[in-house]
Amino acid sequence: MTSEERHEVRYQRRKAKRLQKLADRQEAVGDLSTALSYAALYEAGRDACKGVRWKTSTINFELRLFSRTAAARRKLVQNKWKSHNSCTFHLVERGHKRKIDAPHINDRQVHKATCRKVLRPLYYPHMIYDNGASIEGKGFSFTMDRTEYFLKWWYERYGTEGVVVTVDFKGYFPNAPHDAIESIHEKYILCPDLRYLSGYLLNAFGPVGMALGVETSQTEAGILPNAIDHTIKDQHQVECSERYMDDTLFIVHTDEEADALIDVVSSKCKEMGLKLNHSKTHKNKLSGWFKFCQWRYHLTDSGKVIKKPARTSITTMQRKLKAWARKISAKEMTRADAQEAYGCWRAYMLQGNSHNILRKMDRRFKKLLGCEPIVTQAKKRRKKKRKFK
């Protein structure tokens, strides 16, 4: 047997193992009637009501949850289920106008059950560990911790010599290609009925892009650039690499390596139909400051990692405080509501080195709104002690 034949035998053996794992996961999920059982839909319907029980549509839905769940499941099994019209509105976030599609409460039940019982069990085993967006037990705090871990990992081996690359996709949700997502369905969802339902939910808001505000869109967005993640992490052996939705970060030794990897990512984006945002793709020296997910990071000469919020986050809150003061004067808003909203932003700021910023913002809050802010201490998260390899 020649060397090429031995390579082919080993490849076929690895391929057979991967296919067997896919079949095992699909068997654990089951078909449509098993995955979307009455119990799964009922639990998803109850959870879909959380936080919006003041709405009339939610009250009516929860009053008839037993019968509506049975009717929805019957239509799903018969492939006759149709989604309702969504409520569309626009938000302005950091100067960007974003279209939000709020699905009907009946549709949210099916979206939540599909994500829990179908998409996540079949998608998550194929994602890299350092993909933290919209994943239970991870999230943004996990991404910040991993960024700090990577910087310390790099410092233990190479000091502050290196290049940090941050990559961003242009119009990630509005321009998401359905062909690439449907190819993922073909690869990971082996049950035809579940694949049809996933495709229907994907195309319910148009032939291109994904709707903001829909739970299935968040899960699909998490898996879409998965091939790019594995190309960086596995094929190019980049140890310090992570992604949070459409923001990617990796650390390399030289500018030449950074340029080569950016070209690789750009070519992969063209293959998949994604658009690379070159104006937001940056290279920074590891010894300087760099921005990732609206936070600024700096690795000092002693190995300490400094995390500070982006200036835009502080400016936005300053404007909100003035707007809240006007609304309170006009009796359009209560001080308790302002304290609650500010407390949420303050808890977010506590994740980094923002002590002095918060002291100034607390004084501004008291001056403009005439009351003390609700001050909470940062919760100490128990991090796993991992030794540097």
Side-chain angles (χ1 to χ4, degrees), residues 324-382:
W324 292 346
R326 291 194 298 268
K327 289 184 177 181
I328 290 173
S329 300
K331 295 184 178 180
E332 298 176 358
M333 186 179 188
T334 63
R335 285 185 171 84
D337 292 339
Q339 286 177 321
E340 183 178 356
Y342 179 77
C344 295
W345 176 83
R346 199 179 190 282
Y348 169 72
M349 288 290 114
L350 286 173
Q351 297 181 95
N353 306 98
S354 51
H355 175 73
N356 293 333
I357 295 171
L358 290 178
R359 287 182 61 190
K360 294 178 182 178
M361 293 299 293
D362 290 346
R363 289 196 295 267
R364 184 182 290 266
F365 181 94
K366 183 179 179 180
K367 180 180 178 181
L368 291 174
L369 277 69
C371 60
E372 293 285 348
I374 299 175
V375 178
T376 56
Q377 299 297 326
K379 293 183 179 179
K380 294 183 179 180
R381 299 189 302 273
R382 295 183 63 183

Side-chain angles (χ1 to χ4, degrees), residues 160-164 284-290 298-301:
T160 57
E161 295 297 323
V163 179
V164 181
N284 300 90
K285 291 184 178 180
L286 196 62
S287 56
W289 289 86
F290 68 91
H298 176 58
L299 179 63
T300 65
D301 294 335

